[in-house]
Each structure stands twice: as structure tokens, then as C-alpha cells.
Amino acid sequence: MTTLVELSNVTKIYQTGEVKTTALHDATFTLERNEVCAIVGSSGSGKTTLLNILGGIDRCNSGSVLVNGVDIVRLNEKALTNYRRFDVGFVFQFYNLVQNLTALENVELACEVSKNAFSPSEMLDVVGLGERLNNFPSQLSGGEQQRVAIARALAKNPRLLLCDEPTGALDDKTGIQILGILQRASRALDVTVVLVTHNRAFVDIANKVITVRNGGIESIVINKEVREARDIVL
């Protein structure tokens, strides 16, 4: 594997009035192409802040974030917008689908802002919804809506797929199915998947597991025996 992302000494401090809160301090790690990386830690540990900085949603106060050799910390607003538009796909806990658009139209919407998008219908087929293209979100289960959200993110053909608790609103069986889709996508679509999760049972599918504690990187573990999502027993 070759390195796609390199974080070096990343620190993020939020300030409200005179009160300063250090959300991240000296975070340093790398992400390789086509790997699945799980980020785990307790609530408030800095996981989501880390994901937001990787996605160009938030800026760090110090340090560097190299993505394919480009330090996104130094990008101006226009370049950072293009980075989010073309290089990053986001999957959230609560699907964020447009309710009056069909599954296909939701995915097509994302493709309109991408330069090298995949076929929307093919991406829906990849996530197992090839026969539900014309259904509205209200006609889909929670797991199916999350599949649409993943297809929407993947259809942009991103380098990075950032997933913030994508199974948090789902039952265990459906959650494992979603993990399987993400795992297969990393291998088949040339995308690096970063998965924030509170469920440590799910980290077995990851090539790398990063534990965040009190805003710092507590440990980085390379998983020598990656399990298939379908083999996870909860």
C-alpha cells in the first residue's frame, strides 16, 4: 500500500470567549490507499474533530494534513471547497437524504458536482439497491437509506470516504451489512475508508485501528488478521 494521508502534529483548539478547549493535540498518523481505518474512542475524545479536519470541514490550529501530497491546511477557501467536492465522500449516522427525491435522484445530485463520477445506478447496484432506484426515502428502511447515502458518497469517486458512526442508528445485523459494503468498496473502488465507531466489535474489519483519548492518539494498531464483515459475531 502507498500512503494517501499523512497527519503530522495536528492540534485543534476551540475558543468561546476566554475559554479555550483543546479538542486535538499533536495527532500524527498515516492512512494508506484502499485501506479501512477505524477510529475509536469515548464520546468527546476528539474522533469527530479528527474526521472534520480530514474532510476539510474544519481547520486545525497547527500541524499539517497531507492528502496525496497536498497540505490541505494551507489551501484557500476555494481550493478547500474543491477538495471537499472532488476528493472526499461523507457518510453520517443520520442519512441526510433529500426526502422528495428518489434514491436514484439523491445519488445523481452528488454526481452533478463531481468531475469523474461513477454511474449513479451502478453505485446503487453496488450497495444492493438496484431494484429500488425509484423509491423515495420514506419507502426505504433505515438500512436501505444508509445504503443510498453510501452510494451517494461513492458515486463522486472520492479518494477518501469518511464515515461518522454510519451504523449508529441501525440494528446489529443491518450494521454488519453496511460494514460489508464499506469493506468491499475500499477494495473495489480505490477508496480509503475512515470509519468512526463506538462499537469495538466492528474494528476487526479494519486494516488499522486508531484509538483517540482526551484529544490525543493513544494507540495505532495494524490489524494482521482482517476479518470479513460477514464473519463478525456480536
Side-chain angles (χ1 to χ4, degrees), residues 17-32:
E18 296 182 357
V19 179
K20 292 183 178 181
T21 303
T22 300
L24 281 177
H25 60 86
D26 301 316
T28 299
F29 60 84
T30 61
L31 300 174
E32 315 306 317

Side-chain angles (χ1 to χ4, degrees), residues 5 8 28 36 73 90 105 130 137 155-156 169 177 200 205:
V5 177
S8 298
T28 299
V36 176
V73 174
F90 296 95
E105 289 168 340
K156 292 171 55 181
Q177 294 172 347
R200 285 193 170 269
I205 74 159

Side-chain angles (χ1 to χ4, degrees), residues 8-211:
S8 298
N9 302 312
V10 168
T11 295
K12 177 63 182 179
I13 300 172
Y14 294 101
Q15 183 166 355
T16 304
E18 296 182 357
V19 179
K20 292 183 178 181
T21 303
T22 300
L24 281 177
H25 60 86
D26 301 316
T28 299
F29 60 84
T30 61
L31 300 174
E32 315 306 317
R33 293 183 185 277
N34 301 99
E35 78 173 353
V36 176
C37 173
I39 299 178
V40 297
S42 60
S43 178
S45 62
K47 304 187 303 295
T48 298
T49 299
L50 195 53
L51 209 67
N52 288 342
I53 289 173
L54 281 171
I57 294 174
D58 207 349
R59 291 184 183 268
C60 58
N61 295 87
S62 61
S64 62
V65 182
L66 298 179
V67 180
N68 205 34
V70 176
D71 188 356
I72 65 170
V73 174
R74 299 181 180 276
L75 296 179
N76 60 31
E77 289 302 322
K78 181 178 180 180
L80 196 61
T81 297
N82 285 336
Y83 166 72
R84 291 191 297 266
R85 179 177 295 168
F86 302 130
D87 293 319
V88 185
F90 296 95
V91 178
F92 302 100
Q93 180 175 346
F94 300 107
Y95 331 125
N96 294 327
L97 301 179
V98 180
Q99 293 300 307
N100 63 345
L101 297 181
T102 65
L104 181 62
E105 289 168 340
N106 266 279
V107 179
E108 288 174 338
L109 192 62
C111 293
E112 291 178 3
V113 298
S114 179
K115 292 185 294 187
N116 300 298
F118 291 119
S119 161
S121 59
E122 286 181 9
M123 285 301 99
L124 283 164
D125 194 48
V126 164
V127 301
L129 292 179
E131 297 182 356
R132 308 297 298 273
L133 303 183
N134 296 315
N135 286 91
F136 291 94
S138 61
Q139 299 171 314
L140 302 172
S141 68
E144 289 172 331
Q145 289 184 65
Q146 190 63 294
R147 290 182 186 214
V148 176
I150 292 171
R152 178 181 60 190
L154 289 173
K156 292 171 55 181
N157 194 10
R159 299 177 190 270
L160 268 175
L161 184 64
L162 305 179
C163 308
D164 194 1
E165 299 280 5
T167 64
L170 306 173
D171 62 82
D172 288 343
K173 180 179 178 181
T174 305
I176 289 172
Q177 294 172 347
I178 294 300
L179 293 179
I181 291 170
L182 296 174
Q183 190 177 50
R184 292 191 296 274
S186 73
R187 298 167 179 170
L189 300 176
D190 192 28
V191 63
T192 297
V193 176
V194 181
L195 169 70
V196 166
T197 180
H198 68 278
N199 192 333
R200 285 193 170 269
F202 291 165
V203 304
D204 289 344
I205 74 159
N207 305 93
K208 180 180 294 174
V209 181
I210 298 174
T211 301

